[in-house]
Each structure stands twice: as structure tokens, then as C-alpha cells.
Amino acid sequence: MPNITEIANNAKEKASKLGIKKFDIYGSIIDETSVQVDQGQPKQVKASNRSGVTVRVWNQENTMGVTSTTDVDPQGLELALKTAYEASFFGVKENVPDFSPESTASIAYTPHNKVPQVPVAELINSLLVAEKEVLAAHEAIKGVPYNGLAQRDIERFYLNSDGATRTESHSLASIYLYSKTEEDGKKPRSGSAFRVERGLNTLDINGCIKETAEKTISHLNYEKIKSGKYLVVFSADAFLSLLGAFSNLFNAQSILDNQSLSHADDLGKQIASPLLSVDDDALHPANVGAESFDGEGTPTRRVSLISNGVLKSFLHSAGTAKRMNTQPTGNASIGAKVSVSPNFYHVFAATSPAQELSLETAENVVLIDDLQALHAGVKSLQGSFSLPFDGWLVNNGVRTSIESATVAGDFLELLKSIVYMEKEVELTPGGVCPKIWVDGLSITGE
């Protein structure tokens, strides 16, 4: 594939030839290898090299057309520019997207730190060893039906006719293990874990094996739970899953489309416990896939969403920022319509709690490890949820697995009912977060 300089020069040349004065291009190249295993044998090997660009063109009437292509040689770019130009005459007349005012702003640091990929045989062997160790952890564990070890190189670029030229690259390696038990007269139980790093050589495979086995074993002796109101502790993954399900709370595009729990004038309102602060921080040190610019070329940054329980900011594209008289935040993706999404959550305690709580001394507390069926159990515009979960009933440090139960409530009420946030944070694919204690949530047993 041509490099960014060649693409930029070719695009300018073809645009000039076609009489196009205003355009931008966003593209990415992903080189990925992933493997799966099953009962000591390789199950699946996938290798792919995917590339694609999105081209936007504005005509003399300032309406815009968009096209996507995987062909970025001179002929492919010329066709894409021509197609987008023709489509521009059918573009929207109101709130037409424009270049980000920060697309040419300087960026302090842009990553270019790819790690050499290892041979496929090494991936397979590493995953076979991981599967074997999980199976050996307990006689009840009969399989690891879902697993995967992957390595990925990512290159991204953005350029426009105003002179913006951005490019970055990085590598990721990840492992996922999900084990399942079989015991006579008992229901199958399961446990899972995930790890991500910049390369296979630093990936914590042993930690993933240990966590998967420990979780699975802890669910073997399960009991029913009585329905009622409980003090509930959310794991980092569970809380961030819920926060992601209600991310319209911070999404400026959703607010403008009247598809959000927030309104434009809600900034400055107390929406959560004073203990809670939430940032969207793409450049957080723990974010191994950190991106330095978004799909519009806007530099990413730390955005304070909630501070001491007060709603401080929304996430913006260039278009939503213009309509709401503020600055873009580096959260845009371009396509037929510009969309807005979070990058990487950083959830932390803003103030010292009035009381210290601990799972070692707490009584009758529900610890939720993993929420399920978020696609079906969340009503994002009403703020309500009712979700099955994996977890334990905890009494003085002793954990008893819960056979089957759901947790239900109102998300905004949940935020206000946070009574404690632990100091130690956990890394998840969506961000970093501590365990979060919430009082008075409804748990329904089987």
C-alpha cells in the first residue's frame, strides 16, 4: 500500500484534475493474525490484511458527498473522489459536516511503535499451553470452548485539502479464555478472563490462565439467592459495561438527536454521588491502543465527563461542537454520518469516602463480576436495566456463587447511590475502573 505522503500527493493531484477544491480522507490498514484451539488441537487460524479509506468531498455549494474504498492507488483515489463529488449534490443542506478546526493543530506525541509479529506456530503453541493449564486446574473443568490469541498491527491516517496530514501506528496482542465445567447433577459453570498488551512478549498469559481458573472454580458450589434489595459491588468490567450501555448520557450527537438521557443545559448538574469522577482519556497510560487523533483529525485528549458527581462535559465531533458553541473533543468517526463515541474511560474516586468498606468484613453483599444480555436488558433512553449476571454472595470474605439472578434498576439512580469506590483499579478493554459499591439495588433470584 502507498505511504501517507504518496496518498496525500496523489489525492491532491487527482482532486486538482477533477476541479475539487475541498476534500478530506481518513484511512486505516490492519494486519491481523488470530488463532483458536480446541481440546489440544488447533481449531482455527485467521490472517487478514484489511485496508480502507473514507473520502469526503465538498462542492461549490458546500454540500458534501462521502464514499469508501479499499483501493488507494492513484486510479482508486480518482474514482473515489469523483464518486464523492457526484454524491455531494445530493448531500444534506443543514448542519453540513466541515473540517475540524483542530485538524491542523500540533500533536505532542504520535505513536509509531509497532512490535514485530511472531510466527503463527508460536501463537498456537502459547494458546495450547494456556488451554492445557486451565483444564488441569480442576477436574470439573472439561473445556475451554471460547478462546483466542491475536496479534494486530494498525496504521491510521488523516489528510485534508487544508494541509492536515496525520499518521500513527501501533501493535496490540490479546488473549481471551472462557472455560466451562461439567459435573453430574449440577449446572455447567463458567469463568473468563481477558488480557491485552502491545506485544506477545509482554502479554500476561499466565495471569489470564490463573484468573479464568479461579473464577470458574469459585462458581462450582453455587446456591440460590433470595430476591430483595442488596448492597451491590460492581467489578470494573461490569460497571464499565453498564456505563457504555448508557453512553448517550455524554454523547453530544445523541443529545442533539433527542436520543439521550441528558439535555444540552444539564452541564453543571449533580447527576451522581460526589465520590464519582469519570474521564474519557484516550491517552491514558494504561490504554495500549491509544489513538492520538480521531476520524476528523482532531487530537484526542482527556475530557472530564463527571467530576465529584457533577456533569462537566459532553463528547463532541467538529459538527456537534459547532452547534453547541464549544470545541471538538477528539471522539468522532467519519462515514455517511459523523458519529461520536467514547475512547477510553478512566473512573476514579474524586473524594475520600466517609467510610471504608471491604469485602473481607462486609456481610450479605452481592459482588457482580460480569453482566450479560446488555443488548436486550438495557433501555438506554429510559435509563432502566434488568440484566442477568455472574457473581457471588459475599459474607466476611467468603464468596458463594449465585446460581442464577438478575440485577435491575435505574442508571441515574444507581450513579447517585454509589457509597464507596475502592482504591485499586482494574484494566478492562473499555477503560480503567475500581470496584464500585452501590446501595439498594434490586436482585431477583431464580
Side-chain angles (χ1 to χ4, degrees):
M1 182 172 177
N3 62 39
I4 180 67
T5 305
E6 292 172 335
I7 294 172
N9 291 336
N10 290 335
K12 289 171 185 173
E13 180 186 331
K14 297 302 179 183
S16 177
K17 175 184 172 183
L18 295 167
I20 294 170
K21 290 185 168 47
K22 186 175 181 179
F23 68 90
D24 67 0
I25 300 175
Y26 171 83
S28 64
I29 309 163
I30 300 173
D31 185 8
E32 182 175 24
T33 307
S34 64
V35 300
Q36 291 177 281
V37 300
D38 183 33
Q39 298 294 337
Q41 297 293 325
K43 179 183 178 182
Q44 187 169 264
V45 177
K46 289 182 180 178
S48 63
N49 187 288
R50 310 186 300 275
S51 61
V53 298
T54 299
V55 179
R56 302 192 298 182
V57 171
W58 287 258
N59 60 32
Q60 295 83 351
E61 299 170 11
N62 201 39
T63 54
M64 185 198 75
V66 184
T67 190
S68 296
T69 181
T70 59
D71 188 1
V72 289
D73 62 17
Q75 292 76 22
L77 279 175
E78 182 175 6
L79 180 59
L81 286 163
K82 184 179 179 183
T83 305
Y85 178 71
E86 292 170 351
S88 69
F89 293 96
F90 302 94
V92 296
K93 307 290 185 184
E94 295 181 355
N95 301 314
V96 180
D98 203 347
F99 291 165
S100 167
E102 299 185 16
S103 63
T104 55
S106 62
I107 296 178
Y109 171 70
T110 302
H112 292 282
N113 50 358
K114 289 199 291 187
V115 176
Q117 293 200 359
V118 303
V120 172
E122 189 174 335
L123 291 178
I124 293 172
N125 289 336
S126 297
L127 192 56
L128 286 172
V129 169
E131 181 195 43
K132 183 179 179 180
E133 291 190 19
V134 172
L135 290 172
H138 197 282
E139 59 185 11
I141 300 176
K142 300 300 184 184
V144 188
Y146 305 110
N147 60 73
L149 181 58
Q151 56 186 356
R152 177 186 298 177
D153 287 342
I154 304 169
E155 296 182 48
R156 304 169 59 246
F157 68 87
Y158 173 85
L159 61 91
N160 67 30
S161 52
D162 274 359
T165 305
R166 304 201 188 281
T167 179
E168 68 177 19
S169 58
H170 56 263
S171 300
L172 293 174
S174 62
I175 183 169
Y176 174 73
L177 299 170
Y178 176 99
S179 60
K180 208 156 192 178
T181 67
E182 291 178 18
E183 289 185 295
D184 291 340
K186 287 192 170 185
K187 293 181 179 180
R189 309 298 281 169
S190 61
S192 63
F194 174 85
R195 294 289 188 277
V196 62
E197 253 301 341
R198 288 182 172 84
L200 188 68
N201 60 333
T202 55
L203 185 63
D204 184 14
I205 296 177
N206 289 331
C208 191
I209 294 167
K210 184 179 179 183
E211 184 181 344
T212 303
E214 287 179 350
K215 281 185 180 179
T216 309
I217 293 167
S218 73
H219 286 304
L220 289 174
N221 298 314
Y222 56 83
E223 293 181 8
K224 296 182 186 295
I225 188 172
K226 292 181 180 179
S227 299
K229 299 275 189 179
Y230 286 83
L231 178 59
V232 173
V233 182
F234 287 93
S235 70
D237 189 63
F239 185 80
L240 289 180
S241 294
L242 208 52
L243 189 65
F246 292 100
S247 62
N248 66 41
L249 189 67
F250 316 114
N251 189 312
Q253 188 62 61
S254 298
I255 292 166
L256 291 168
D257 292 341
N258 293 317
Q259 298 292 307
S260 173
L261 293 173
S262 298
H263 301 283
D265 58 357
D266 282 347
L267 293 179
K269 288 186 178 179
Q270 190 84 27
I271 65 164
S273 161
L275 294 174
L276 180 69
S277 285
V278 180
D279 291 347
D280 179 63
D281 189 1
L283 304 178
H284 191 282
N287 185 11
V288 296
E291 297 179 344
S292 60
F293 59 90
D294 70 1
E296 296 181 312
T298 303
T300 55
R301 67 205 69 184
R302 183 182 68 82
V303 182
S304 175
L305 300 174
I306 298 175
S307 179
N308 295 84
V310 176
L311 184 63
K312 300 293 286 185
S313 305
F314 300 131
L315 301 177
H316 286 281
S317 65
T320 63
K322 183 177 180 180
R323 292 172 65 183
M324 298 178 76
N325 195 29
T326 186
Q327 293 296 310
T329 57
N331 293 87
S333 299
I334 65 171
K337 182 179 179 181
V338 176
S339 59
V340 178
S341 59
N343 289 317
F344 188 84
Y345 287 120
H346 177 203
V347 180
F348 57 99
T351 58
S352 299
Q355 56 179 334
E356 294 280 341
L357 299 175
S358 169
L359 289 171
E360 297 303 315
T361 56
E363 295 182 358
N364 212 39
V365 169
V366 173
L367 172 57
I368 294 179
D369 180 56
D370 180 52
L371 293 170
Q372 299 157 6
L374 283 106
H375 63 285
V378 166
K379 294 183 178 179
S380 59
L381 297 184
Q382 284 77 43
S384 62
F385 61 91
S386 179
L387 300 166
F389 66 88
D390 286 337
W392 304 268
L393 185 64
V394 184
N395 273 300
N396 296 314
V398 178
R399 300 184 183 189
T400 304
S401 180
I402 296 169
E403 179 180 349
S404 178
T406 58
V407 58
D410 178 271
F411 184 65
L412 292 175
E413 288 299 317
L414 180 153
L415 293 179
K416 292 175 182 176
S417 302
I418 293 172
V419 294
Y420 184 65
M421 297 175 63
E422 297 191 4
K423 295 181 178 66
E424 186 177 344
V425 298
E426 302 169 31
L427 173 64
T428 79
V432 290
C433 178
K435 288 187 177 69
I436 293 181
W437 296 56
V438 181
D439 198 20
L441 280 179
S442 294
I443 301 292
T444 303
E446 193 174 60

PDB file of all heavy atoms in Angstrom, residues 370-389:
ATOM      1  N   ASP A 370     -19.735 -10.040  36.058  1.00  0.00           N
ATOM      2  CA  ASP A 370     -19.965  -9.933  34.612  1.00  0.00           C
ATOM      3  C   ASP A 370     -21.451  -9.771  34.335  1.00  0.00           C
ATOM      4  O   ASP A 370     -22.264 -10.589  34.798  1.00  0.00           O
ATOM      5  CB  ASP A 370     -19.419 -11.186  33.916  1.00  0.00           C
ATOM      6  CG  ASP A 370     -19.625 -11.153  32.420  1.00  0.00           C
ATOM      7  OD1 ASP A 370     -19.232 -10.155  31.795  1.00  0.00           O
ATOM      8  OD2 ASP A 370     -20.198 -12.116  31.868  1.00  0.00           O
ATOM      9  N   LEU A 371     -21.825  -8.733  33.603  1.00  0.00           N
ATOM     10  CA  LEU A 371     -23.219  -8.518  33.193  1.00  0.00           C
ATOM     11  C   LEU A 371     -23.452  -9.125  31.817  1.00  0.00           C
ATOM     12  O   LEU A 371     -22.586  -9.067  30.951  1.00  0.00           O
ATOM     13  CB  LEU A 371     -23.538  -7.023  33.162  1.00  0.00           C
ATOM     14  CG  LEU A 371     -23.540  -6.304  34.511  1.00  0.00           C
ATOM     15  CD1 LEU A 371     -23.615  -4.800  34.305  1.00  0.00           C
ATOM     16  CD2 LEU A 371     -24.705  -6.769  35.373  1.00  0.00           C
ATOM     17  N   GLN A 372     -24.629  -9.682  31.616  1.00  0.00           N
ATOM     18  CA  GLN A 372     -24.942 -10.355  30.359  1.00  0.00           C
ATOM     19  C   GLN A 372     -26.179  -9.745  29.705  1.00  0.00           C
ATOM     20  O   GLN A 372     -26.933  -9.023  30.336  1.00  0.00           O
ATOM     21  CB  GLN A 372     -25.166 -11.858  30.617  1.00  0.00           C
ATOM     22  CG  GLN A 372     -23.943 -12.554  31.195  1.00  0.00           C
ATOM     23  CD  GLN A 372     -24.283 -13.822  31.958  1.00  0.00           C
ATOM     24  OE1 GLN A 372     -25.428 -14.262  31.979  1.00  0.00           O
ATOM     25  NE2 GLN A 372     -23.286 -14.410  32.601  1.00  0.00           N
ATOM     26  N   ALA A 373     -26.336 -10.059  28.419  1.00  0.00           N
ATOM     27  CA  ALA A 373     -27.532  -9.670  27.638  1.00  0.00           C
ATOM     28  C   ALA A 373     -27.777  -8.165  27.650  1.00  0.00           C
ATOM     29  O   ALA A 373     -28.927  -7.724  27.716  1.00  0.00           O
ATOM     30  CB  ALA A 373     -28.768 -10.418  28.156  1.00  0.00           C
ATOM     31  N   LEU A 374     -26.698  -7.374  27.571  1.00  0.00           N
ATOM     32  CA  LEU A 374     -26.875  -5.919  27.565  1.00  0.00           C
ATOM     33  C   LEU A 374     -27.664  -5.446  26.345  1.00  0.00           C
ATOM     34  O   LEU A 374     -28.323  -4.409  26.398  1.00  0.00           O
ATOM     35  CB  LEU A 374     -25.512  -5.218  27.620  1.00  0.00           C
ATOM     36  CG  LEU A 374     -24.875  -5.214  29.016  1.00  0.00           C
ATOM     37  CD1 LEU A 374     -23.724  -6.178  29.101  1.00  0.00           C
ATOM     38  CD2 LEU A 374     -24.422  -3.828  29.411  1.00  0.00           C
ATOM     39  N   HIS A 375     -27.590  -6.193  25.244  1.00  0.00           N
ATOM     40  CA  HIS A 375     -28.328  -5.805  24.027  1.00  0.00           C
ATOM     41  C   HIS A 375     -29.832  -5.879  24.238  1.00  0.00           C
ATOM     42  O   HIS A 375     -30.590  -5.177  23.561  1.00  0.00           O
ATOM     43  CB  HIS A 375     -27.922  -6.716  22.867  1.00  0.00           C
ATOM     44  CG  HIS A 375     -28.277  -8.153  23.078  1.00  0.00           C
ATOM     45  ND1 HIS A 375     -27.575  -8.967  23.945  1.00  0.00           N
ATOM     46  CD2 HIS A 375     -29.264  -8.917  22.552  1.00  0.00           C
ATOM     47  CE1 HIS A 375     -28.116 -10.174  23.934  1.00  0.00           C
ATOM     48  NE2 HIS A 375     -29.136 -10.174  23.109  1.00  0.00           N
ATOM     49  N   ALA A 376     -30.272  -6.728  25.185  1.00  0.00           N
ATOM     50  CA  ALA A 376     -31.708  -6.925  25.375  1.00  0.00           C
ATOM     51  C   ALA A 376     -32.232  -6.326  26.675  1.00  0.00           C
ATOM     52  O   ALA A 376     -33.390  -5.926  26.756  1.00  0.00           O
ATOM     53  CB  ALA A 376     -32.028  -8.430  25.348  1.00  0.00           C
ATOM     54  N   GLY A 377     -31.362  -6.244  27.686  1.00  0.00           N
ATOM     55  CA  GLY A 377     -31.846  -5.854  29.006  1.00  0.00           C
ATOM     56  C   GLY A 377     -31.659  -4.399  29.363  1.00  0.00           C
ATOM     57  O   GLY A 377     -31.932  -3.996  30.493  1.00  0.00           O
ATOM     58  N   VAL A 378     -31.196  -3.588  28.403  1.00  0.00           N
ATOM     59  CA  VAL A 378     -30.968  -2.161  28.672  1.00  0.00           C
ATOM     60  C   VAL A 378     -31.938  -1.316  27.845  1.00  0.00           C
ATOM     61  O   VAL A 378     -32.053  -1.512  26.633  1.00  0.00           O
ATOM     62  CB  VAL A 378     -29.510  -1.768  28.335  1.00  0.00           C
ATOM     63  CG1 VAL A 378     -29.356  -0.252  28.287  1.00  0.00           C
ATOM     64  CG2 VAL A 378     -28.553  -2.367  29.351  1.00  0.00           C
ATOM     65  N   LYS A 379     -32.639  -0.419  28.494  1.00  0.00           N
ATOM     66  CA  LYS A 379     -33.468   0.574  27.798  1.00  0.00           C
ATOM     67  C   LYS A 379     -32.749   1.909  27.926  1.00  0.00           C
ATOM     68  O   LYS A 379     -32.956   2.655  28.889  1.00  0.00           O
ATOM     69  CB  LYS A 379     -34.870   0.622  28.399  1.00  0.00           C
ATOM     70  CG  LYS A 379     -35.651  -0.670  28.186  1.00  0.00           C
ATOM     71  CD  LYS A 379     -37.065  -0.578  28.730  1.00  0.00           C
ATOM     72  CE  LYS A 379     -37.836  -1.877  28.459  1.00  0.00           C
ATOM     73  NZ  LYS A 379     -39.209  -1.834  29.007  1.00  0.00           N
ATOM     74  N   SER A 380     -31.879   2.185  26.940  1.00  0.00           N
ATOM     75  CA  SER A 380     -30.942   3.294  27.074  1.00  0.00           C
ATOM     76  C   SER A 380     -31.612   4.657  27.108  1.00  0.00           C
ATOM     77  O   SER A 380     -31.056   5.608  27.658  1.00  0.00           O
ATOM     78  CB  SER A 380     -29.912   3.246  25.942  1.00  0.00           C
ATOM     79  OG  SER A 380     -30.544   3.330  24.692  1.00  0.00           O
ATOM     80  N   LEU A 381     -32.794   4.805  26.531  1.00  0.00           N
ATOM     81  CA  LEU A 381     -33.465   6.102  26.527  1.00  0.00           C
ATOM     82  C   LEU A 381     -34.349   6.301  27.753  1.00  0.00           C
ATOM     83  O   LEU A 381     -34.707   7.431  28.090  1.00  0.00           O
ATOM     84  CB  LEU A 381     -34.302   6.264  25.251  1.00  0.00           C
ATOM     85  CG  LEU A 381     -33.508   6.258  23.940  1.00  0.00           C
ATOM     86  CD1 LEU A 381     -34.424   6.525  22.757  1.00  0.00           C
ATOM     87  CD2 LEU A 381     -32.386   7.289  23.984  1.00  0.00           C
ATOM     88  N   GLN A 382     -34.704   5.182  28.416  1.00  0.00           N
ATOM     89  CA  GLN A 382     -35.474   5.294  29.656  1.00  0.00           C
ATOM     90  C   GLN A 382     -34.557   5.287  30.878  1.00  0.00           C
ATOM     91  O   GLN A 382     -34.950   5.688  31.966  1.00  0.00           O
ATOM     92  CB  GLN A 382     -36.472   4.134  29.775  1.00  0.00           C
ATOM     93  CG  GLN A 382     -37.706   4.267  28.893  1.00  0.00           C
ATOM     94  CD  GLN A 382     -37.407   3.939  27.441  1.00  0.00           C
ATOM     95  OE1 GLN A 382     -36.703   2.972  27.149  1.00  0.00           O
ATOM     96  NE2 GLN A 382     -37.935   4.722  26.523  1.00  0.00           N
ATOM     97  N   GLY A 383     -33.340   4.783  30.691  1.00  0.00           N
ATOM     98  CA  GLY A 383     -32.394   4.731  31.806  1.00  0.00           C
ATOM     99  C   GLY A 383     -32.505   3.480  32.648  1.00  0.00           C
ATOM    100  O   GLY A 383     -31.801   3.348  33.652  1.00  0.00           O
ATOM    101  N   SER A 384     -33.366   2.541  32.264  1.00  0.00           N
ATOM    102  CA  SER A 384     -33.584   1.352  33.086  1.00  0.00           C
ATOM    103  C   SER A 384     -32.823   0.152  32.541  1.00  0.00           C
ATOM    104  O   SER A 384     -32.480   0.084  31.364  1.00  0.00           O
ATOM    105  CB  SER A 384     -35.079   1.025  33.156  1.00  0.00           C
ATOM    106  OG  SER A 384     -35.591   0.743  31.861  1.00  0.00           O
ATOM    107  N   PHE A 385     -32.555  -0.816  33.419  1.00  0.00           N
ATOM    108  CA  PHE A 385     -31.881  -2.044  33.012  1.00  0.00           C
ATOM    109  C   PHE A 385     -32.355  -3.204  33.876  1.00  0.00           C
ATOM    110  O   PHE A 385     -32.746  -3.033  35.035  1.00  0.00           O
ATOM    111  CB  PHE A 385     -30.362  -1.893  33.128  1.00  0.00           C
ATOM    112  CG  PHE A 385     -29.865  -1.603  34.517  1.00  0.00           C
ATOM    113  CD1 PHE A 385     -29.514  -2.624  35.387  1.00  0.00           C
ATOM    114  CD2 PHE A 385     -29.750  -0.288  34.967  1.00  0.00           C
ATOM    115  CE1 PHE A 385     -29.067  -2.359  36.672  1.00  0.00           C
ATOM    116  CE2 PHE A 385     -29.302  -0.011  36.257  1.00  0.00           C
ATOM    117  CZ  PHE A 385     -28.967  -1.054  37.113  1.00  0.00           C
ATOM    118  N   SER A 386     -32.332  -4.388  33.308  1.00  0.00           N
ATOM    119  CA  SER A 386     -32.605  -5.638  34.022  1.00  0.00           C
ATOM    120  C   SER A 386     -31.750  -6.699  33.360  1.00  0.00           C
ATOM    121  O   SER A 386     -32.037  -7.118  32.234  1.00  0.00           O
ATOM    122  CB  SER A 386     -34.096  -6.004  33.956  1.00  0.00           C
ATOM    123  OG  SER A 386     -34.337  -7.217  34.640  1.00  0.00           O
ATOM    124  N   LEU A 387     -30.688  -7.128  34.055  1.00  0.00           N
ATOM    125  CA  LEU A 387     -29.650  -7.921  33.407  1.00  0.00           C
ATOM    126  C   LEU A 387     -29.258  -9.150  34.227  1.00  0.00           C
ATOM    127  O   LEU A 387     -29.034  -9.045  35.438  1.00  0.00           O
ATOM    128  CB  LEU A 387     -28.393  -7.066  33.201  1.00  0.00           C
ATOM    129  CG  LEU A 387     -28.572  -5.806  32.341  1.00  0.00           C
ATOM    130  CD1 LEU A 387     -27.375  -4.882  32.507  1.00  0.00           C
ATOM    131  CD2 LEU A 387     -28.756  -6.189  30.883  1.00  0.00           C
ATOM    132  N   PRO A 388     -29.147 -10.313  33.577  1.00  0.00           N
ATOM    133  CA  PRO A 388     -28.562 -11.471  34.250  1.00  0.00           C
ATOM    134  C   PRO A 388     -27.081 -11.199  34.525  1.00  0.00           C
ATOM    135  O   PRO A 388     -26.450 -10.409  33.819  1.00  0.00           O
ATOM    136  CB  PRO A 388     -28.714 -12.610  33.228  1.00  0.00           C
ATOM    137  CG  PRO A 388     -29.544 -12.069  32.121  1.00  0.00           C
ATOM    138  CD  PRO A 388     -29.496 -10.577  32.182  1.00  0.00           C
ATOM    139  N   PHE A 389     -26.539 -11.861  35.547  1.00  0.00           N
ATOM    140  CA  PHE A 389     -25.135 -11.621  35.862  1.00  0.00           C
ATOM    141  C   PHE A 389     -24.481 -12.862  36.452  1.00  0.00           C
ATOM    142  O   PHE A 389     -25.159 -13.764  36.960  1.00  0.00           O
ATOM    143  CB  PHE A 389     -24.993 -10.442  36.836  1.00  0.00           C
ATOM    144  CG  PHE A 389     -25.575 -10.685  38.221  1.00  0.00           C
ATOM    145  CD1 PHE A 389     -24.809 -11.268  39.230  1.00  0.00           C
ATOM    146  CD2 PHE A 389     -26.887 -10.322  38.511  1.00  0.00           C
ATOM    147  CE1 PHE A 389     -25.333 -11.493  40.493  1.00  0.00           C
ATOM    148  CE2 PHE A 389     -27.419 -10.544  39.775  1.00  0.00           C
ATOM    149  CZ  PHE A 389     -26.643 -11.129  40.767  1.00  0.00           C
TER     150      PHE A 389
END
